[in-house]
């Protein structure tokens, strides 16, 4: 059986990307890294594993539409069917959304709809809540607003600093993203209409 091909979009460190490519029984092939930052450490992780890298600078295009059309051309050329956002610091626009409807996933370090947007871990610490968590969701046109696939909560300990909490959240992220991919690709009881399968 040939595996469906996926592209990971990332702008930074790429620890989630690393977790995916290290996973032996992922039900798809991570065939491409799409990156919008030439200096992002994730690029080296792809290079080490021999995964194709598509480095694309949004500033070289007159509009978001043109930028995404260029990415779309590459995705089609490689037969990519899934997009996994992992620390990709841009909103996906209609050019990609229309073509990959229901096929774009994102991971966010909070229990959405709580603490969307930037610095979700800092937001949770600032709010003084006793727990936060991780969400993997389908992507729509909003910022961290699409239907939830899976969530897991992470307690905030009294002695937690941003660093210690981030570390524990990342451990959950790496496991949860792989699980979400398995759920959506194997269609194991995904209740799209209820916006949750947890
Ligand atoms: C993760 O915390 C993810 O939830 C958020 O961006 C971060 C990316 O981390 N969307 P990494 O680059 O995968 O290490």
């Amino acid at each position: 059986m040939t595996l469906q091909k996926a592209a990971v979009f990332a702008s930074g460190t790429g620890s989630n990307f690393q977790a995916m490519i290290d996973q032996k029984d992922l039900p798809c092939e991570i065939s491409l890294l799409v990156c919008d930052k030439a200096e992002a450490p994730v690029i080296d992780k792809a290079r080490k594993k021999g995964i194709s890298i598509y480095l694309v600078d949004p500033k070289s295009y007159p509009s978001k539409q043109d930028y995404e059309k260029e990415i779309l051309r590459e995705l089609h050329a490689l037969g990519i069917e899934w997009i996994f956002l992992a620390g990709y610091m841009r909103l996906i626009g209609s050019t990609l959304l229309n073509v990959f409807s229901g096929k774009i996933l994102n991971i966010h370090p909070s229990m959405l709809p709580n603490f969307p947007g930037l610095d979700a871990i800092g937001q949770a610490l600032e709010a003084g809540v006793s727990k936060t968590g991780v969400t993997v969701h389908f992507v729509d046109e909003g910022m961290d607003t699409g239907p939830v696939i899976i969530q897991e909560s992470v307690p905030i300990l009294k002695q937690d600093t941003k660093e210690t909490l981030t570390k524990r959240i990342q451990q959950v992220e790496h496991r949860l993203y792989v699980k979400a991919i398995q759920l959506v690709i194997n269609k194991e009881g995904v209740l799209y209409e209820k916006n949750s399968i947890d």
Side-chain angles (χ1 to χ4, degrees), residues 133-150:
V134 174
T135 303
V136 183
H137 64 96
F138 289 107
V139 171
D140 64 12
E141 58 290 335
M143 165 99 74
D144 305 320
T145 51
V148 170
I149 298 162
I150 192 166

Side-chain angles (χ1 to χ4, degrees), residues 52-192:
S52 301
I53 300 159
Y54 189 58
L55 184 60
V56 57
D57 180 5
K59 288 196 236 60
S60 320
Y61 299 89
S63 68
K64 182 174 191 126
Q65 208 183 7
D66 291 302
Y67 165 70
E68 287 199 341
K69 266 190 194 158
E70 190 61 25
I71 295 177
L72 197 54
R73 197 191 43 72
E74 183 71 10
L75 299 180
H76 280 151
L78 293 181
I80 301 289
E81 293 187 54
W82 293 90
I83 296 175
F84 306 141
L85 309 184
Y88 180 64
M89 301 306 284
R90 297 177 183 278
L91 276 181
I92 297 292
S94 55
T95 306
L96 283 170
L97 274 175
N98 290 342
V99 178
F100 280 85
S101 155
K103 296 284 189 106
I104 310 179
L105 275 58
N106 181 44
I107 188 159
H108 185 77
S110 79
M111 294 290 272
L112 290 172
N114 297 332
F115 312 125
L118 286 178
D119 193 20
I121 298 173
Q123 288 185 54
L125 284 170
E126 186 70 22
V129 291
S130 60
K131 57 184 181 183
T132 182
V134 174
T135 303
V136 183
H137 64 96
F138 289 107
V139 171
D140 64 12
E141 58 290 335
M143 165 99 74
D144 305 320
T145 51
V148 170
I149 298 162
I150 192 166
Q151 291 185 303
E152 187 170 314
S153 68
V154 175
I156 300 180
L157 310 176
K158 271 203 194 74
Q159 67 273 23
D160 258 334
T161 59
K162 194 159 170 192
E163 206 182 7
T164 58
L165 181 56
T166 300
K167 210 163 176 194
R168 289 207 318 287
I169 285 185
Q170 278 178 340
Q171 284 166 355
V172 174
E173 284 195 332
H174 300 162
R175 180 167 42 75
L176 211 66
Y177 214 161
V178 166
K179 193 168 172 190
I181 291 168
Q182 288 166 338
L183 286 171
V184 295
I185 294 191
N186 297 333
K187 299 206 171 47
E188 292 166 3
V190 181
L191 303 176
Y192 296 93

